[in-house]
Amino acid sequence: MFASFIRKAIRSSTAAASCNAQQFRSISITPALLEKLNVQGLADKVNLEGQNVLMRVDLNVPLSKDDDVTVTDDTRLQAIAPTAKFLLEKGANVILCSHFGRPKGEIIETGKNGRLNPVVDPLKNILGVDVKKVDDCMGEEVEAAAKSLTKGEVLLLENTRFYKGETKNDATLAAGLGSLADYFVMDAFGTAHRAHSSTAGVTDYMKLSAAGFLLDKELKYLKGAVDKPNRPLCAIIGGAKVSTKLPVIESLLEKCDTILLGGGMIFTFYKALGYDIGKSMLEEEYVELAGKLMKMAEEKGVKLILPPDVILADKFAEDATTAIAKASEISGDWMGLDVGPETLEIFKEEIGKSNTIVFNGPMGVFEMKPFACGTITVAELMAEATDRGATTIVGGGDSVAAVNQAGLGDRVSHISTGGGASLELLEGKELPGVAALSEA
């Protein structure tokens, strides 16, 4: 019954024009995005030679479980290089600040919530210059170190979250950071949705504050692609919890031509349709809202497509007994852990005729091989869309991990570095770390 409903919806929709294979992979950027100063604009306005620039970055890299000090993936360190090297080439002194884990105001010597010592040597190799480090992020010793910088030097501050006030946008910490430099560059998109001392408050003590290349690119892709996309615009929204995605879906109903749903959250929608969902994941308190969103999509003429079939398991385990079932035929102790083959055929058709595609959240429990097919297939379809000239954007930690796991990270237009920040931008929310920047 449900599958026939989906087929009918697809047949009755207006077919989208196919994408021109020679089309440039460009996106439109809304005027609002151009209002904030970026680092290139900062360099055009100010002679940065010998000037101190405080650069907020994200140095949250994984450490080896064997010794708690060896960086096992330097992706986030590599990501800050373009902006840092640009500033150094302009003769600026770069003062790097970042949080590391969640020490909650305690000073922790080692580990994922500890000091930033493990990133010093990798940063030296990546930036090609010496990196000095201090054991605090404000105070007399730090101020003296900042004042001693001459030209083209790098100073790394200590974990900002050693101060409880960091996450509360404490003015004292913001002023302490602000005393180290006259200019500020925000290049930590993953924390831009937080109004913290080092992301927002610090700008009150700067002459000018600008977006780094990484942040600028995130804004242009994520916001530009959904505000003024090359249509048709398709969003693929997955993940376990419907509670975190409903605001995003509601916002995207105002912008998208098609929304494809997957992941554990689909069962809350099934429940709203009156289906038995067995032992599948359910957030009962959101059933009514899920029903309202489906009605809203129908009224707006947006194709909100739920999977017509799912992969079931008799337990949440890799060695579970599995079966394929229609969405309307789930029962007993079975639980849905991935989307089914009929769903993927529909997704292939919709993705194939879209020119801008945003993918946020896995289609199933992709960490377990029997339930990875849906997510990996969507990643492959994203890569194919990129190859034909579509703009493809992947956001959210799990979907990014899945795309990289499939070896397709270099075959999408943009991989977002921020989970929560990506979602809030897609929702249309203003990011405090962006709002605080200087006007262009």
Side-chain angles (χ1 to χ4, degrees), residues 68-98:
D68 252 356
V69 295
T70 302
V71 175
T72 56
D73 183 347
D74 68 356
T75 301
R76 288 186 173 177
L77 305 185
Q78 296 282 356
I80 76 168
T83 300
K85 286 183 175 180
F86 174 82
L87 290 169
L88 292 172
E89 287 168 4
K90 296 295 181 181
N93 298 308
V94 178
I95 301 174
L96 300 172
C97 74
S98 173

Short mmCIF file of all heavy atoms in Angstrom, two decimals, residues 68-98:
data_model
loop_
_atom_site.label_atom_id
_atom_site.label_comp_id
_atom_site.label_asym_id
_atom_site.label_seq_id
_atom_site.Cartn_x
_atom_site.Cartn_y
_atom_site.Cartn_z
N ASP A 68 47.86 8.15 24.25
CA ASP A 68 47.09 9.37 24.55
C ASP A 68 47.79 10.66 24.13
O ASP A 68 47.40 11.74 24.57
CB ASP A 68 46.75 9.46 26.06
CG ASP A 68 45.28 9.19 26.33
OD1 ASP A 68 44.52 9.02 25.36
OD2 ASP A 68 44.90 9.16 27.50
N VAL A 69 48.81 10.56 23.29
CA VAL A 69 49.51 11.78 22.84
C VAL A 69 49.75 11.82 21.34
O VAL A 69 49.97 12.90 20.78
CB VAL A 69 50.87 11.96 23.57
CG1 VAL A 69 50.65 12.20 25.05
CG2 VAL A 69 51.78 10.77 23.34
N THR A 70 49.69 10.70 20.67
CA THR A 70 49.97 10.65 19.24
C THR A 70 48.70 10.96 18.45
O THR A 70 47.67 10.31 18.63
CB THR A 70 50.51 9.27 18.82
OG1 THR A 70 51.69 8.98 19.57
CG2 THR A 70 50.83 9.25 17.33
N VAL A 71 48.78 11.96 17.56
CA VAL A 71 47.64 12.32 16.71
C VAL A 71 47.46 11.25 15.64
O VAL A 71 48.39 10.95 14.89
CB VAL A 71 47.87 13.69 16.06
CG1 VAL A 71 46.75 14.02 15.08
CG2 VAL A 71 47.97 14.78 17.12
N THR A 72 46.28 10.66 15.58
CA THR A 72 46.04 9.57 14.63
C THR A 72 45.35 10.04 13.34
O THR A 72 45.32 9.31 12.36
CB THR A 72 45.17 8.47 15.28
OG1 THR A 72 43.95 9.04 15.75
CG2 THR A 72 45.91 7.81 16.43
N ASP A 73 44.81 11.23 13.32
CA ASP A 73 44.18 11.78 12.12
C ASP A 73 44.35 13.30 12.16
O ASP A 73 43.80 13.98 13.03
CB ASP A 73 42.69 11.41 12.09
CG ASP A 73 41.99 11.90 10.82
OD1 ASP A 73 42.57 12.71 10.08
OD2 ASP A 73 40.84 11.48 10.58
N ASP A 74 45.13 13.84 11.23
CA ASP A 74 45.44 15.28 11.26
C ASP A 74 44.55 16.11 10.33
O ASP A 74 44.89 17.24 9.98
CB ASP A 74 46.91 15.52 10.94
CG ASP A 74 47.26 15.19 9.49
OD1 ASP A 74 46.38 14.70 8.74
OD2 ASP A 74 48.42 15.43 9.09
N THR A 75 43.39 15.55 9.94
CA THR A 75 42.50 16.24 9.00
C THR A 75 42.16 17.67 9.46
O THR A 75 42.23 18.63 8.68
CB THR A 75 41.19 15.46 8.80
OG1 THR A 75 41.51 14.16 8.30
CG2 THR A 75 40.27 16.17 7.81
N ARG A 76 41.82 17.82 10.73
CA ARG A 76 41.45 19.15 11.23
C ARG A 76 42.64 20.10 11.31
O ARG A 76 42.49 21.31 11.19
CB ARG A 76 40.77 19.02 12.60
CG ARG A 76 39.37 18.43 12.48
CD ARG A 76 38.63 18.41 13.78
NE ARG A 76 37.25 17.99 13.57
CZ ARG A 76 36.36 17.82 14.54
NH1 ARG A 76 36.70 18.04 15.80
NH2 ARG A 76 35.13 17.44 14.26
N LEU A 77 43.82 19.55 11.48
CA LEU A 77 45.02 20.39 11.47
C LEU A 77 45.32 20.86 10.05
O LEU A 77 45.67 22.02 9.83
CB LEU A 77 46.22 19.61 12.03
CG LEU A 77 46.06 18.99 13.43
CD1 LEU A 77 47.38 18.37 13.87
CD2 LEU A 77 45.59 20.02 14.43
N GLN A 78 45.15 19.97 9.10
CA GLN A 78 45.37 20.33 7.70
C GLN A 78 44.36 21.39 7.26
O GLN A 78 44.68 22.26 6.44
CB GLN A 78 45.22 19.09 6.80
CG GLN A 78 46.24 18.00 7.03
CD GLN A 78 47.60 18.31 6.41
OE1 GLN A 78 47.78 19.33 5.74
NE2 GLN A 78 48.57 17.44 6.64
N ALA A 79 43.16 21.33 7.83
CA ALA A 79 42.08 22.24 7.42
C ALA A 79 42.36 23.70 7.76
O ALA A 79 41.86 24.60 7.09
CB ALA A 79 40.76 21.80 8.05
N ILE A 80 43.16 23.94 8.79
CA ILE A 80 43.44 25.33 9.19
C ILE A 80 44.60 25.93 8.40
O ILE A 80 44.83 27.13 8.45
CB ILE A 80 43.73 25.46 10.70
CG1 ILE A 80 45.14 24.95 11.03
CG2 ILE A 80 42.69 24.73 11.52
CD1 ILE A 80 45.61 25.29 12.42
N ALA A 81 45.34 25.08 7.68
CA ALA A 81 46.56 25.52 7.00
C ALA A 81 46.35 26.65 5.99
O ALA A 81 47.13 27.61 5.98
CB ALA A 81 47.25 24.33 6.34
N PRO A 82 45.33 26.59 5.12
CA PRO A 82 45.19 27.67 4.12
C PRO A 82 45.09 29.07 4.74
O PRO A 82 45.77 30.00 4.28
CB PRO A 82 43.91 27.29 3.37
CG PRO A 82 43.85 25.80 3.50
CD PRO A 82 44.36 25.51 4.88
N THR A 83 44.28 29.20 5.78
CA THR A 83 44.13 30.51 6.41
C THR A 83 45.38 30.91 7.17
O THR A 83 45.86 32.05 7.06
CB THR A 83 42.92 30.52 7.37
OG1 THR A 83 41.73 30.21 6.63
CG2 THR A 83 42.74 31.87 8.03
N ALA A 84 45.94 29.98 7.94
CA ALA A 84 47.14 30.29 8.72
C ALA A 84 48.31 30.66 7.81
O ALA A 84 49.03 31.64 8.07
CB ALA A 84 47.50 29.09 9.60
N LYS A 85 48.50 29.91 6.74
CA LYS A 85 49.61 30.20 5.82
C LYS A 85 49.40 31.53 5.11
O LYS A 85 50.35 32.27 4.87
CB LYS A 85 49.76 29.06 4.81
CG LYS A 85 50.38 27.79 5.41
CD LYS A 85 50.57 26.72 4.35
CE LYS A 85 51.29 25.50 4.92
NZ LYS A 85 51.50 24.45 3.89
N PHE A 86 48.17 31.83 4.78
CA PHE A 86 47.85 33.11 4.14
C PHE A 86 48.25 34.27 5.05
O PHE A 86 48.89 35.23 4.61
CB PHE A 86 46.36 33.17 3.82
CG PHE A 86 45.89 34.50 3.29
CD1 PHE A 86 46.05 34.83 1.95
CD2 PHE A 86 45.30 35.44 4.13
CE1 PHE A 86 45.62 36.06 1.46
CE2 PHE A 86 44.87 36.67 3.66
CZ PHE A 86 45.03 36.98 2.31
N LEU A 87 47.89 34.17 6.32
CA LEU A 87 48.23 35.22 7.28
C LEU A 87 49.74 35.34 7.46
O LEU A 87 50.30 36.44 7.54
CB LEU A 87 47.55 34.94 8.62
CG LEU A 87 46.02 35.11 8.64
CD1 LEU A 87 45.44 34.54 9.93
CD2 LEU A 87 45.64 36.58 8.48
N LEU A 88 50.41 34.19 7.53
CA LEU A 88 51.87 34.20 7.68
C LEU A 88 52.54 34.83 6.47
O LEU A 88 53.53 35.57 6.61
CB LEU A 88 52.38 32.77 7.89
CG LEU A 88 51.99 32.10 9.23
CD1 LEU A 88 52.38 30.63 9.22
CD2 LEU A 88 52.66 32.82 10.41
N GLU A 89 52.02 34.54 5.28
CA GLU A 89 52.58 35.13 4.06
C GLU A 89 52.41 36.65 4.05
O GLU A 89 53.20 37.37 3.43
CB GLU A 89 51.90 34.52 2.83
CG GLU A 89 52.33 33.08 2.56
CD GLU A 89 51.45 32.40 1.53
OE1 GLU A 89 50.54 33.07 0.98
OE2 GLU A 89 51.65 31.19 1.28
N LYS A 90 51.39 37.13 4.74
CA LYS A 90 51.16 38.57 4.85
C LYS A 90 52.03 39.20 5.94
O LYS A 90 51.94 40.40 6.19
CB LYS A 90 49.68 38.87 5.13
CG LYS A 90 48.73 38.44 4.02
CD LYS A 90 48.98 39.23 2.74
CE LYS A 90 48.03 38.82 1.63
NZ LYS A 90 48.28 39.56 0.37
N GLY A 91 52.83 38.37 6.61
CA GLY A 91 53.72 38.87 7.65
C GLY A 91 53.10 38.95 9.02
O GLY A 91 53.70 39.48 9.97
N ALA A 92 51.89 38.44 9.17
CA ALA A 92 51.20 38.49 10.47
C ALA A 92 51.75 37.43 11.41
O ALA A 92 52.29 36.40 10.98
CB ALA A 92 49.71 38.30 10.28
N ASN A 93 51.62 37.68 12.71
CA ASN A 93 51.87 36.66 13.72
C ASN A 93 50.53 35.99 14.00
O ASN A 93 49.52 36.66 14.26
CB ASN A 93 52.40 37.28 15.01
CG ASN A 93 53.73 37.96 14.79
OD1 ASN A 93 54.66 37.37 14.26
ND2 ASN A 93 53.82 39.23 15.18
N VAL A 94 50.49 34.67 13.95
CA VAL A 94 49.24 33.93 14.13
C VAL A 94 49.19 33.33 15.53
O VAL A 94 50.05 32.51 15.90
CB VAL A 94 49.10 32.82 13.06
CG1 VAL A 94 47.81 32.03 13.29
CG2 VAL A 94 49.10 33.43 11.67
N ILE A 95 48.20 33.75 16.31
CA ILE A 95 48.00 33.20 17.65
C ILE A 95 46.80 32.26 17.58
O ILE A 95 45.66 32.69 17.37
CB ILE A 95 47.75 34.32 18.68
CG1 ILE A 95 48.94 35.28 18.69
CG2 ILE A 95 47.51 33.74 20.06
CD1 ILE A 95 48.73 36.51 19.58
N LEU A 96 47.07 30.96 17.70
CA LEU A 96 46.02 29.95 17.56
C LEU A 96 45.35 29.67 18.89
O LEU A 96 46.02 29.49 19.91
CB LEU A 96 46.61 28.65 17.03
CG LEU A 96 47.29 28.71 15.64
CD1 LEU A 96 48.00 27.39 15.36
CD2 LEU A 96 46.28 29.03 14.56
N CYS A 97 44.02 29.63 18.89
CA CYS A 97 43.31 29.22 20.10
C CYS A 97 42.23 28.21 19.74
O CYS A 97 41.61 28.29 18.67
CB CYS A 97 42.74 30.41 20.86
SG CYS A 97 41.29 31.18 20.15
N SER A 98 42.03 27.24 20.63
CA SER A 98 41.06 26.17 20.40
C SER A 98 40.69 25.53 21.72
O SER A 98 41.45 25.58 22.69
CB SER A 98 41.66 25.10 19.47
OG SER A 98 40.82 23.98 19.33
#
